[in-house]
Amino acid sequence: MKSIYPLATCLLLPIISYANETTDIQERIVIIGESMQSPSEWVVDSKQPRQPLPAHDAGDFLKSLAGFSATRKGGASADPLFRGMGAGRLTIVNDGQMLQGGCSSRMDPPTAYITPQSYDSVTIVKGPQTVLFAGSAASIHFEREATFFEMPEFTGYLNATTAQYGRLNTTADLTWGAQPGYVRVNASAATADDYEDGSGNSINSQYERWSGDVDLAWTPSRQHRLILKLGVSDGEAAYADRSMDGVLFDRESVALNYQWQPDNRSLEELSVNAYFNTIDHVMDNYSLREFTPSMMMPNPTASNPDRYSRGFKIATEWQLLTSGQLKTGLEHNESAHRNRSSKDQLNRPFESLSRVDDAFIEQNGIYAEYRHAIGQKWQLVSGYRLDHWKMTDKRTTIQPMSVPAQPNPTANETRSENLHSGFLRIEKQFKNGYWYAGWGQAERFPDYWEAIGNNRQSPTSASAFYTDAETNQQWDIGLDINADKWQLDASIFYSQVDDFILLQKGMMMQPDTVRNIDARTWGGETTLSYQLTQAWSVSSALAITRGSNKTDDNYLPQQPADELRIATDYRHNALTYSLLWRLVDKQERTAVNQGNVIGYDIGNSPGYGVLSANIDWKIDPKWQLSLGVDNILDKTYAEHLSRSAASISGYQQIDKVNEPGRTVWLQTNYHF
């Protein structure tokens, strides 16, 4: 495939040259993504229908935004990355809770437990440009808004999506409210059979998921709000990239949130949030696939990791004089991880075994973020965060893959470290938009998967427990212009990461190696839209990321290919016709057998183009019906960051986990 840059230039330049004229752009299906609501920050409506096929979990949802990609494992639980950075480099907050998966091979990333349509909004902060969360590459917050009802009211949102390959998703978001408080119920269910790629090959990808969340709110006044949040979910998912499937994704959560907005000249808001959640996960090689003995697994095998997490956060917002806003916070998070497994489930089932602790992780943080207005057009924003991390290695032995068990050299040892993060950003408002430039630093403690999970080693030890923390120093520059007929949203970044945590794949049954290198990344995203006429609009989004391993003088692995999305909408009365052309360049900047806890580079990838279309019918203010076709030309392709496909009985062996072929889908949304 030829480079996408000449095409991008030809498409972007004429759009900028059109004259201005005011138009009214109505709500429609989202096929490119949203522009930043404020410097370095997206606020995305998670209930809005999208193309490609509306997502059933947060990993699929995020990859529809410019700069995001995802590593496919099957039909569910894709692991998201932003600018080539994922896992512990993304801070994902689930309505105030830090939710961590249980699987040491990331079969269940945090996004696997999140149904996007169950939330009101998703806030994404690019880079280390906030200290409200301990983010490195990005902070992502899925949030449900609290409501105050003057009069009794019943409101709701219902969503149903059906598609080929037996896919059916349903979501219900219902609220009964009055002046004393409200009850909000979120429920979702999703199911799908194996899908087929463009060549007709079946991919081991079936899944079933369900979730339920209840908010019980007491709102005696607009100034006081107390909410008890209860949540459960479960499911199963088949995977095409590994020798086992996920047969249990049990989540239970409890949270209590209090907010006070006093009639005070200085203190604007005080919030206290405490939570507790557990993840109980089971994977095996016989429930969702035909069991086939192998050298690695001669018998039916099962593993049952679990994790409990708990924490709290106290946050305040202050108005200082007329030109300053201050946000401060104190938070605590901790999690414990355990596991039990059986390599002979028939004779020694895992249910009969005791759980064994392998890790305990604790984080305590304080932060302050200050915004100062300089006149009417300039803003200076700064922040500082101090985190104290502590991790205990509770493994007595180490046994990676089929290597005989050996004593753990870091058994029962505890390491702790104080990490510093901060940023400084200047913002300038002008008539039709703003520009900003910011510098930030984020120090990141090694996560469970890097230091303990899968019993990886370091270059000098059989344990990777003492892997150094990363330090990311990054520049972010952005421009947003919202004129009468066209809108431009552009952001670029340059990052220097000292002690970047790199994984090296083990050869000949040897464990993977975790080591620190110095890395450099740069790139950015540009979204441009233009209203040709009152009925017809065009838009495009370009995302580019580059990464280099300065220590080894090599490419940084697991970097996404350059991507350009071109879309056009035509509105006629209540109907909107949309076309999306996604162009992905070939990726030859690879480092084979190197990567991160999500995956490794397995070679170069060819470029491809995928064409999709939809018709959106706004029946009335309450009803919206969308019909779409993804991958119209039935293209056979795999994302560059897709994982290697496993050998599974009954399925054709392929190099990577391919994406779905032509898929027809129908979605209905009802608001009342």
Side-chain angles (χ1 to χ4, degrees):
M1 179 178 178
K2 296 182 179 180
S3 175
I4 63 178
Y5 305 118
L7 176 59
T9 303
C10 292
L11 287 165
L12 296 180
L13 290 180
I15 295 176
I16 299 177
S17 66
Y18 282 104
N20 292 335
E21 179 180 326
T22 301
T23 58
D24 179 22
I25 301 176
Q26 305 176 39
E27 180 179 330
R28 59 176 176 80
I29 193 168
V30 179
I31 55 177
I32 284 292
E34 287 82 358
S35 296
M36 289 184 290
Q37 300 294 309
S38 61
S40 78
E41 182 178 282
W42 282 326
V43 179
V44 181
D45 182 356
S46 57
K47 287 182 165 57
Q48 187 81 347
R50 295 171 176 270
Q51 177 124 35
L53 178 62
H56 83 278
D57 67 18
D60 277 349
F61 174 84
L62 290 172
K63 74 177 184 181
S64 69
L65 303 175
F68 278 93
S69 52
T71 299
R72 181 174 289 280
K73 309 162 189 172
S77 305
D79 223 324
L81 301 95
F82 180 63
R83 295 170 171 171
M85 302 295 170
R89 298 181 177 99
L90 300 181
T91 298
I92 298 175
V93 184
N94 176 19
D95 202 26
Q97 300 187 47
M98 300 298 296
L99 183 67
Q100 301 290 332
C103 179
S104 60
S105 297
R106 292 191 69 84
M107 187 177 282
D108 64 331
T111 49
Y113 297 95
I114 298 175
T115 303
Q117 292 86 357
S118 296
Y119 298 83
D120 297 313
S121 63
V122 183
T123 300
I124 301 156
V125 180
K126 299 182 178 184
Q129 285 296 306
T130 184
V131 293
L132 304 184
F133 310 102
S136 175
S139 303
I140 306 163
H141 189 189
F142 291 82
E143 189 171 15
R144 296 189 179 100
E145 298 175 358
T147 308
F148 180 81
F149 292 89
E150 293 282 2
M151 301 292 292
E153 190 175 353
F154 178 41
T155 64
Y157 163 80
L158 301 175
N159 166 271
T161 302
T162 184
Q164 288 177 269
Y165 313 119
R167 176 167 174 177
L168 177 63
N169 297 4
T170 57
T171 303
D173 185 353
L174 308 174
T175 303
W176 296 267
Q179 195 279 326
Y182 63 86
V183 177
R184 181 173 181 179
V185 177
N186 276 277
S188 69
T191 183
D193 300 328
D194 292 344
Y195 68 79
E196 295 181 356
D197 64 14
S199 299
N201 299 314
S202 292
I203 307 297
N204 192 43
S205 56
Q206 60 178 295
Y207 62 83
E208 291 185 5
R209 293 288 178 86
W210 66 266
S211 68
D213 295 272
V214 178
D215 289 0
L216 304 173
W218 179 49
T219 57
S221 69
R222 290 186 178 274
Q223 285 73 41
H224 295 273
R225 183 167 58 244
L226 181 66
I227 307 175
L228 175 64
K229 303 172 182 283
L230 308 172
V232 293
S233 64
D234 198 359
E236 61 182 29
Y239 293 98
D241 69 324
R242 60 195 68 197
S243 57
M244 303 177 82
D245 301 309
V247 297
L248 182 72
F249 293 83
D250 183 30
R251 170 188 66 95
E252 297 180 359
S253 65
V254 179
L256 188 64
N257 176 262
Y258 172 70
Q259 286 185 308
W260 176 41
Q261 296 174 327
D263 294 325
N264 188 297
R265 291 179 179 268
S266 298
L267 179 60
E268 292 189 328
E269 181 174 288
L270 167 68
S271 65
V272 181
N273 183 62
Y275 69 89
F276 173 84
N277 62 61
T278 63
I279 298 295
D280 193 6
H281 175 55
V282 175
M283 62 192 97
D284 68 34
N285 63 353
Y286 55 85
S287 295
L288 300 181
R289 65 178 69 188
E290 179 183 345
F291 170 68
T292 303
S294 65
M295 182 178 65
M296 294 287 296
M297 296 181 180
N299 301 306
T301 301
S303 181
N304 178 210
D306 74 344
R307 182 193 294 270
Y308 80 80
S309 301
R310 59 188 177 191
F312 69 84
K313 185 172 185 176
I314 303 173
T316 63
E317 296 185 18
W318 304 79
Q319 181 67 45
L320 305 181
L321 301 176
T322 59
S323 58
Q325 294 177 316
L326 176 66
K327 296 181 180 180
T328 64
L330 167 68
E331 67 176 334
H332 168 82
N333 301 292
E334 63 180 57
S335 68
H337 190 276
R338 305 182 300 177
N339 196 14
R340 57 182 177 181
S341 61
S342 171
K343 295 184 178 180
D344 187 0
Q345 181 67 10
L346 295 179
N347 299 309
R348 193 168 178 262
F350 75 86
E351 295 92 340
S352 66
L353 305 177
S354 299
R355 299 181 189 268
V356 179
D357 294 341
D358 64 357
F360 181 80
I361 304 171
E362 180 180 339
Q363 172 210 3
N364 293 285
I366 57 173
Y367 67 82
E369 187 167 301
Y370 180 68
R371 175 178 292 272
H372 180 70
I374 306 173
Q376 296 182 346
K377 296 182 178 181
W378 292 87
Q379 299 272 342
L380 184 65
V381 191
S382 61
Y384 171 75
R385 182 183 182 98
L386 172 64
D387 288 293
H388 178 75
W389 286 87
K390 183 184 295 185
M391 178 186 289
T392 301
D393 186 352
K394 295 193 173 185
R395 300 169 298 168
T396 57
T397 61
I398 292 179
Q399 187 176 10
M401 306 291 285
S402 60
V403 177
Q406 59 180 299
N408 178 16
T410 57
N412 297 314
E413 293 188 12
T414 298
R415 59 175 292 191
S416 61
E417 195 166 353
N418 291 324
L419 301 182
H420 306 270
S421 301
F423 74 96
L424 179 65
R425 183 173 69 245
I426 186 73
E427 304 171 4
K428 170 68 181 301
Q429 301 284 336
F430 52 87
K431 182 180 179 181
N432 295 320
Y434 59 82
W435 64 263
Y436 69 91
W439 173 88
Q441 171 180 297
E443 294 187 329
R444 185 182 72 86
F445 198 72
D447 61 29
Y448 165 81
W449 296 272
E450 294 163 332
I452 294 177
N454 274 356
N455 294 308
R456 296 181 172 100
Q457 66 182 6
S458 76
T460 58
S461 171
S463 169
F465 182 66
Y466 284 105
T467 300
D468 291 338
E470 289 182 354
T471 301
N472 176 27
Q473 298 188 55
Q474 181 170 315
W475 283 95
D476 285 276
I477 300 173
L479 172 67
D480 184 273
I481 301 176
N482 194 348
D484 292 332
K485 294 188 65 175
W486 61 274
Q487 183 171 350
L488 170 67
D489 176 16
S491 58
I492 60 174
F493 74 98
Y494 176 86
S495 172
Q496 175 72 41
V497 187
D498 296 330
D499 295 320
F500 181 93
I501 299 175
L502 180 77
L503 270 62
Q504 183 80 41
K505 190 173 184 179
M507 298 290 106
M508 301 297 293
M509 310 300 289
Q510 293 301 307
D512 298 345
T513 299
V514 183
R515 62 190 178 98
N516 294 106
I517 63 166
D518 290 335
R520 185 177 299 162
T521 64
W522 62 269
E525 304 83 38
T526 299
T527 301
L528 183 61
S529 61
Y530 182 75
Q531 198 73 24
L532 293 168
T533 67
Q534 190 169 358
W536 185 20
S537 66
V538 294
S539 56
S540 62
L542 178 66
I544 297 173
T545 300
R546 296 287 185 274
S548 60
N549 176 346
K550 305 304 294 181
T551 299
D552 300 337
D553 192 22
N554 196 7
Y555 294 116
L556 194 67
Q558 290 291 280
Q559 299 300 291
D562 301 335
E563 180 176 324
L564 172 66
R565 301 183 190 187
I566 306 166
T568 181
D569 292 345
Y570 183 79
R571 183 182 297 276
H572 178 68
N573 296 327
L575 294 175
T576 301
Y577 306 87
S578 302
L579 193 67
L580 171 64
W581 190 19
R582 180 170 175 251
L583 297 167
V584 179
D585 204 2
K586 62 183 179 181
Q587 177 58 292
E588 298 177 339
R589 298 176 296 276
T590 59
V592 176
N593 293 327
Q594 292 184 349
N596 52 41
V597 299
I598 297 175
Y600 296 91
D601 278 5
I602 58 178
N604 297 341
S605 300
Y608 56 85
V610 179
L611 190 65
S612 304
N614 70 75
I615 301 174
D616 186 47
W617 182 17
K618 192 71 173 177
I619 302 173
D620 58 35
K622 295 181 178 180
W623 284 97
Q624 185 176 10
L625 185 68
S626 304
L627 173 65
V629 183
D630 291 349
N631 194 0
I632 293 175
L633 302 180
D634 211 15
K635 179 81 173 180
T636 301
Y637 71 102
E639 304 286 355
H640 172 67
L641 297 182
S642 173
R643 288 173 59 97
S644 299
S647 176
I648 302 173
S649 177
Y651 295 86
Q652 181 175 336
Q653 177 69 40
I654 52 180
D655 293 334
K656 285 187 175 183
V657 181
N658 285 336
E659 295 295 304
R662 184 187 299 114
T663 305
V664 180
W665 55 266
L666 176 68
Q667 183 179 79
T668 303
N669 288 314
Y670 178 58
H671 296 263
F672 64 91

